[in-house]
Amino acid sequence: MPAALGTAIPSTRGGACLKPTSPSPASDTPAPYERRQPEETTLYQVIQDHLDTFLAQVEQETGTGLPQFVKDEFEAFLEGGI
């Protein structure tokens, strides 16, 4: 069991329960923010390169295309990476 979850101690009901552990000195100060750079991921690059073609193909095959909220999510994903 990971130490971050706690330490197992006997329970009066026959099982074990978790006893919270105190944070280690290293976790007292939060780590500085590091941007993840999603635009460098393969997923981001594939969506960026092929989204328009994908949307056009879906519309051609279904006659209606994807719902607007799905298109909005793709666009938000691409905007969030920049």
Side-chain angles (χ1 to χ4, degrees), residues 28-50:
D28 288 343
T29 57
Y33 174 76
E34 280 189 46
R35 189 173 174 277
R36 294 181 185 247
Q37 300 175 339
E39 69 278 4
E40 294 180 8
T41 65
T42 301
L43 176 63
Y44 184 92
Q45 292 169 2
V46 167
I47 292 174
Q48 184 179 43
D49 293 345
H50 302 286

Side-chain angles (χ1 to χ4, degrees), residues 8-22:
I9 58 172
S11 170
T12 57
R13 298 182 187 179
C17 62
L18 291 179
K19 174 184 171 189
T21 57
S22 59

